[in-house]
Amino acid sequence: MFESKIRNEQADLLMEAVLRLNTVEEAYRFFEDICTIPELRSIAQRLEVAGLLRNRVTYQEIARRTGASSATISRVNRALLYGAEGYNHVLDALAEDGIEIK
């Protein structure tokens, strides 16, 4: 069983809220209210980096395409290799729906 490092009542509420979003528009509305624009862009960038890493794109090419620093790319790579499998789960689900990061 997965043991989250951040789990508490507030985090549980956030995760439950995210699970109730039904459309991309609802997601944009929620995340634009709850996150700053730089936070949202950073999260989106990390997801793209994760997809590119899974496709074996080099760090240099990922940095060029996304603008991510080598530190960010390395952090995402560590999460892919040793993390909670969150990136892999989401990227697999997107791929099942025909959405792939190339």
Side-chain angles (χ1 to χ4, degrees):
M1 180 177 198
F2 173 69
E3 290 289 326
S4 173
K5 296 174 186 147
I6 63 163
R7 188 169 196 161
N8 63 27
E9 287 183 29
Q10 287 176 329
D12 282 351
L13 180 60
L14 175 61
M15 301 311 154
E16 291 292 344
V18 169
L19 289 172
R20 276 146 181 87
L21 300 172
N22 295 310
T23 66
V24 171
E25 182 180 337
E26 286 179 5
Y28 268 106
R29 287 173 179 268
F30 177 69
F31 281 101
E32 285 188 29
D33 282 351
I34 201 166
C35 294
T36 64
I37 291 171
E39 287 169 336
L40 200 49
R41 287 185 176 150
S42 179
I43 292 166
Q45 180 188 63
R46 290 179 197 156
L47 181 60
E48 182 179 13
V49 167
L52 293 171
L53 284 167
R54 282 194 4 156
N55 288 325
R56 305 209 188 291
V57 176
T58 66
Y59 276 38
Q60 186 177 28
E61 180 63 14
I62 293 170
R64 188 189 68 73
R65 286 193 208 177
T66 67
S69 68
S70 59
T72 295
I73 298 166
S74 180
R75 189 175 319 119
V76 171
N77 193 48
R78 252 190 330 275
L80 282 169
L81 296 173
Y82 308 110
E85 292 293 317
Y87 280 122
N88 285 314
H89 179 77
V90 166
L91 292 169
D92 289 345
L94 288 170
E96 287 176 12
D97 289 340
I99 302 169
E100 295 205 40
I101 298 168
K102 298 180 180 186

